[in-house]
Amino acid sequence: MELLVTLDENYLTPLETMLCSLSVNDPGTPVRLWLIHGGMPEEALVRIRRFCQGLGWDFRPCKAPEELFAQAPVPRYYSTAMYYRLLASRILPDTLDRVIYLDPDTLILNPISPLERLDLEGNLFAAAAHTAFSQLTDPVNRVRLHSDSPINGYFNSGVLVMDLAAQRRELDPEDIFRYAADHAAELILPDQDLLNALYGSRVLPLDDSVYNYDARQFPQYLLLSGGEKTMEWVMDHTAVLHFCGRSKPWKPNALGRFVALYQHYAHLARRCTASLPQG
């Protein structure tokens, strides 16, 4: 499995927790982890490499080329990292045709390997829109982002299946930079807003309750499913549990229905780290 993350050294511990949950719940699947970064310290890269080696996985860090972003507008307090996901096809090796992107604030509860074989039906991406919010937010986002695309919801960019080969042919960095410059005032979550505004019509919808379950919204999923999507259903069917928003389960005094589950995998990740050879 070709797996992509983009993060800085502040997210190393959550990354290890996510990777540990993947190794437990998608066993037997070989993984090559790609990391796009803007200049992560060498000791942080060594830490990730050792963790991957402990799982029997390969690790390939890629520093984003500065020249690619020389003219890239960066609104407010963001950085050029806001472009890494959308421009992964220009950063990762040309020999890599498809990759699965995961945010580090996710847990893997069931296999995600079916996404490797997913037919994208000619789309550039596959992603999920969070159905609990879609009826309220979709019209607002279409106006805010000046999008006339017939999008099927506002897609969350925390889980993506990416056809890199098609993106190299069809995705122009200048289009992305131009939109970001022209609409800087409207961008709230820049990477996600750009995905939806420019490529919303080229995204294959995924079932969010399976591949991008918003951990904040258990009551809404239960209600919308007519009582079907209980905790037992989540544990049996949800592949990716996503801790969206500012309240993260690794923070002190974190609260939420899934915090204890997250802490279980965080504990397993710490045990994994402690068992690695030193040096």
Side-chain angles (χ1 to χ4, degrees):
M1 180 189 301
E2 307 288 357
L3 184 66
L4 172 65
V5 295
T6 65
L7 48 89
D8 60 30
E9 57 270 28
N10 295 315
Y11 273 78
L12 293 184
T13 299
L15 173 65
E16 291 169 347
T17 301
M18 183 269 282
L19 296 178
C20 178
S21 71
L22 174 59
S23 70
V24 170
N25 293 308
D26 204 340
T29 299
V31 173
R32 178 158 47 191
L33 179 68
W34 298 89
L35 166 67
I36 297 177
H37 65 97
M40 187 174 287
E42 182 61 26
E43 58 268 26
L45 297 176
V46 169
R47 173 176 166 179
I48 300 172
R49 179 173 289 107
R50 289 181 65 245
F51 194 87
C52 287
Q53 288 174 343
L55 297 174
W57 296 349
D58 191 12
F59 174 55
R60 302 291 181 91
C62 294
K63 188 176 184 300
E66 294 181 5
E67 59 272 17
L68 178 60
F69 303 103
Q71 305 300 321
V74 179
R76 298 188 294 279
Y77 47 83
Y78 295 99
S79 70
T80 55
M82 63 183 262
Y83 298 108
Y84 291 172
R85 265 171 276 193
L86 284 181
L87 293 179
S89 62
R90 299 303 195 277
I91 301 170
L92 298 173
D94 290 345
T95 54
L96 188 61
D97 290 338
R98 175 183 283 222
V99 72
I100 298 170
Y101 171 86
L102 291 177
D103 270 355
D105 59 349
T106 56
L107 279 181
I108 308 306
L109 304 183
N110 285 287
I112 63 169
S113 45
L115 294 177
E116 291 186 282
R117 303 179 294 276
L118 179 68
D119 182 1
L120 290 180
E121 302 175 8
N123 290 287
L124 300 178
F125 303 88
H130 284 142
T131 52
F133 297 112
S134 58
Q135 290 186 343
L136 294 175
T137 59
D138 286 359
V140 174
N141 283 319
R142 285 195 183 94
V143 173
R144 178 174 65 85
L145 299 175
H146 306 276
S147 175
D148 296 323
S149 298
I151 61 175
N152 298 306
Y154 177 77
F155 294 104
N156 183 278
S157 61
V159 180
L160 298 170
V161 183
M162 306 173 67
D163 185 339
L164 300 176
Q167 290 174 26
R168 292 185 190 103
R169 297 191 301 267
E170 302 181 40
L171 189 150
D172 187 347
E174 292 305 315
D175 291 341
I176 296 172
F177 298 155
R178 187 180 307 112
Y179 185 94
D182 292 345
H183 301 280
E186 294 96 71
L187 298 179
I188 298 174
L189 300 171
D191 58 334
Q192 194 161 279
D193 286 344
L194 290 168
L195 170 70
N196 283 275
L198 293 173
Y199 307 108
S201 62
R202 303 297 306 281
V203 178
L204 178 73
L206 297 175
D207 183 345
D208 61 310
S209 66
V210 176
Y211 287 114
N212 198 332
Y213 187 108
D214 187 338
R216 302 169 296 180
Q217 302 300 324
F218 175 81
Q220 286 83 348
Y221 283 113
L222 186 64
L223 179 64
L224 290 172
S225 67
E228 177 191 5
K229 294 180 180 177
T230 61
M231 282 293 293
E232 183 178 5
W233 187 97
V234 171
M235 297 306 298
D236 286 342
H237 296 89
T238 294
V240 184
L241 179 66
H242 193 179
F243 292 89
C244 305
R246 295 187 177 184
S247 179
K248 301 301 184 185
W250 58 82
K251 293 184 176 180
N253 302 315
L255 297 174
R257 185 178 296 269
F258 295 101
V259 168
L261 179 63
Y262 185 90
Q263 292 173 346
H264 166 70
Y265 284 103
H267 175 67
L268 292 182
R270 289 192 296 270
R271 287 173 57 185
C272 180
T273 299
S275 69
L276 294 174
Q278 298 302 308

